[in-house]
Amino acid sequence: MSSLASHENQLLLETVRHFVTQELLPHEAQVDRDGEVPLELGRQIEARSKALGLFAANLPEAVGGGGLDYEGMRIIERQFGRTSHALHAWVARPTEILLACEGSQIERYLKPCVSGAKRELFALTEPEAGSDIMAMKSQARRDGADWILNGAKHFISGPVMPDFAIVFAATGIDETKRGPRRRITAFLVDVGAKGFEIACGSRCASYRGYHTFRLHFSDVRIGPGQILGEEGKGLDLAGKWLGMGRIWVGATCCGKAERLFEMAAEWAATRKQFGQAIGKFQGTGFKLADMAMHLRAADLLVEDAVRRANAGVISDADAAMVKLYCSEMLNRVADDTVQIFGGMGLMEELPIHRLWRDSRLERIWDGTSEIQRHIISRAILRPLGA
Ligand SMILES: Cc1cc2nc3c(=O)[nH]c(=O)nc-3n(C[C@H](O)[C@H](O)[C@H](O)COP(=O)(O)OP(=O)(O)OC[C@H]3O[C@@H](n4cnc5c(N)ncnc54)[C@H](O)[C@@H]3O)c2cc1C
């Protein structure tokens, strides 16, 4: 438990840890094998998380959410990280950018997501525009008061077939100090709208049972009330959300690394070769020492980011450092855990092969490690005029 602990946070930690251990972990192996969370199980997780006050915990009480502060969010995300995203994604944490909903959008999109009546997708990535989101080809043109949307998205993920997507599309070009730049607007697009096709994407090696979708838009007519936030300000909205999202990725990585570390330490202390516990061989003992040290450092980075966010001084580079360090740390811990277990580390009886596969995605989504390094180096060099 962190130095930021309070009695309430201790209770929150115990509640979420118990929920994960008792109600999510037992389903992991089956979900990974089948590549599917049965609908009944997903609904059960939703219902239980509502009863425990964990559902939509990230959104303010004023809109019906749990109203957790950043420290509370750190605690729950760290515990959820111990298990598969396929399972804990059923405990919705609707994207905060929905708080930009106005007028009828509040009843139509925000509140149903908070209650669980609707699920959203966050649709930014395209087949030819991954890290380079400004290269996106999706575009919307005006047609009277309406907009006509064309384009495609892929790798857009969620636990269940969604009700609508927050779709980012170019709506023009802005002249900026750094040259012409696409204006990106966020649109709320209902599944079922004419011209909007949605299909399941490829199976992913990580988090089996958590789906990706391919979206295709062919002359989809969108009313003026379907813009989320302001026209041309889509990336500002997305940016605000992505920053905190990266800190929660860091917290989940710490939770998963802790679970792996606990198993590795236990195995190293009990597995004997050459007449002694393998942990006593320096090659294994030093691995454990490094794991413990890097996990501690990662946790401290997340806690520091929470303090900075509370003080309103968190930067993109701060969030990038958290995401980069924690996801890279997790992958080293996962790989070393497999190594410490030897052949058993890859056998289906144990969860290690799953956690190892799941860990790999953390270095890719929400911005790859290289993109995080790019954000950090830009923050160093820009003030120096480079
Ligand atoms: C399971 C899964 C779920 C996802 N969910 C969503 C979602 O819900 N919504 C959404 O919008 N997106 C989602 N994504 C997309 C994810 O954010 C992208 O995969 C990620 O941003 C990387 O884009 P890319 O895969 O196209 O890789 P690319 O951008 O093609 O990158 C390939 C390689 O090139 C490197 N590279 C690219 N540019 C640079 C550079 N400037 N400097 C150095 N190296 C560079 C990258 O780091 C990477 O190593 C999801 C992806 C996966 C796999």
Side-chain angles (χ1 to χ4, degrees):
M1 190 69 192
S2 85
S3 54
L4 302 174
S6 69
H7 178 62
E8 273 179 13
N9 284 341
Q10 185 63 39
L11 277 180
L12 177 66
L13 171 66
E14 283 161 19
T15 303
V16 64
R17 191 168 178 115
H18 190 262
F19 174 62
V20 168
T21 309
Q22 300 298 319
E23 303 189 45
L24 304 187
L25 288 188
H27 302 289
E28 264 183 14
Q30 188 72 38
V31 164
D32 186 69
R33 260 195 304 276
D34 297 349
E36 192 64 54
V37 177
L39 195 58
E40 201 181 319
L41 172 61
R43 296 293 176 213
Q44 182 187 313
I45 294 169
E46 264 184 3
R48 286 287 299 136
S49 66
K50 283 179 190 169
L52 294 168
L54 298 171
F55 197 85
N58 59 322
L59 294 186
E61 286 172 354
V63 298
L68 274 193
D69 61 11
Y70 290 142
E71 174 58 2
M73 285 303 298
R74 183 191 74 78
I75 290 169
I76 69 167
E77 295 300 339
R78 193 178 189 284
Q79 293 306 313
F80 284 142
R82 291 177 71 86
T83 189
S84 170
H85 206 90
L87 289 160
H88 72 73
W90 283 88
V91 184
R93 279 89 85 205
T95 165
E96 282 92 351
I97 75 169
L98 283 172
L99 293 172
C101 282
E102 285 180 348
S104 61
Q105 294 176 344
I106 295 173
E107 296 298 327
R108 193 165 160 192
Y109 297 106
L110 174 60
K111 289 196 175 166
C113 285
V114 176
S115 69
K118 284 190 178 175
R119 289 277 183 169
E120 86 281 12
L121 290 179
F122 180 90
L124 191 59
T125 304
E126 300 188 356
E128 288 172 61
S131 303
D132 184 10
I133 52 172
M134 292 312 282
M136 74 170 61
K137 292 194 170 146
S138 292
Q139 52 174 291
R141 63 178 160 81
R142 277 190 192 278
D143 186 41
D146 292 346
W147 294 86
I148 306 293
L149 174 67
N150 281 286
K153 302 280 175 184
H154 82 161
F155 290 167
I156 308 305
S157 54
V160 67
M161 189 52 89
D163 298 280
F164 69 97
I166 302 162
V167 180
F168 293 82
T171 50
I173 306 269
D174 282 330
E175 283 306 324
T176 73
K177 274 190 283 182
R178 292 173 178 270
R181 210 177 129 90
R182 282 198 170 108
R183 291 169 72 77
I184 307 290
T185 302
F187 292 96
L188 297 156
V189 189
D190 293 311
V191 170
K194 192 160 174 270
F196 176 11
E197 281 170 28
I198 179 162
C200 284
S202 311
R203 259 167 74 97
C204 182
S206 304
Y207 298 131
R208 294 218 158 123
Y210 185 68
H211 302 292
T212 65
F213 299 98
R214 280 194 289 262
L215 319 183
H216 193 266
F217 308 98
S218 177
D219 287 334
V220 180
R221 180 168 290 276
I222 305 172
Q226 302 300 102
I227 288 183
L228 182 62
E230 281 175 56
E231 194 249 313
K233 299 279 185 216
L235 287 187
D236 296 341
L237 267 185
K240 252 199 251 168
W241 174 71
L242 279 175
M244 285 317 286
R246 285 176 180 153
I247 294 162
W248 307 145
V249 170
T252 61
C253 289
C254 291
K256 202 180 303 303
E258 181 185 60
R259 183 170 168 206
L260 283 156
F261 171 71
E262 286 164 358
M263 287 187 285
E266 173 79 25
W267 184 263
T270 51
R271 166 78 175 165
K272 289 200 168 71
Q273 288 295 282
F274 300 96
Q276 63 176 27
I278 58 168
K280 289 199 170 162
F281 297 115
Q282 199 179 72
T284 305
F286 280 17
K287 277 193 182 66
L288 290 175
D290 285 350
M291 283 179 177
M293 176 182 67
H294 288 300
L295 174 57
R296 171 95 50 102
D299 267 321
L300 290 172
L301 261 186
V302 179
E303 290 173 19
D304 174 64
V306 165
R307 281 193 205 93
R308 284 170 190 263
N310 280 333
V313 295
I314 187 94
S315 69
D316 288 349
D318 293 331
M321 281 187 202
V322 171
K323 206 261 170 187
L324 173 62
Y325 189 83
C326 296
S327 60
E328 299 273 333
M329 175 279 303
L330 169 61
N331 275 263
R332 282 195 304 272
V333 167
D335 194 66
D336 281 348
T337 302
V338 173
Q339 199 64 23
I340 288 173
F341 271 78
M344 275 314 290
L346 294 171
M347 297 298 142
E348 294 223 326
E349 288 93 319
L350 296 178
I352 295 159
H353 69 101
R354 276 200 309 275
L355 297 168
W356 178 55
R357 266 190 285 117
D358 291 348
S359 301
R360 197 60 188 82
L361 178 59
E362 304 293 351
R363 286 167 61 194
I364 292 173
W365 65 0
D366 281 295
T368 62
S369 290
E370 291 74 20
I371 292 305
Q372 307 309 324
R373 285 191 170 89
H374 180 67
I375 294 168
I376 298 163
S377 63
R378 192 181 54 195
I380 297 166
L381 293 170
R382 267 213 185 144
L384 301 173

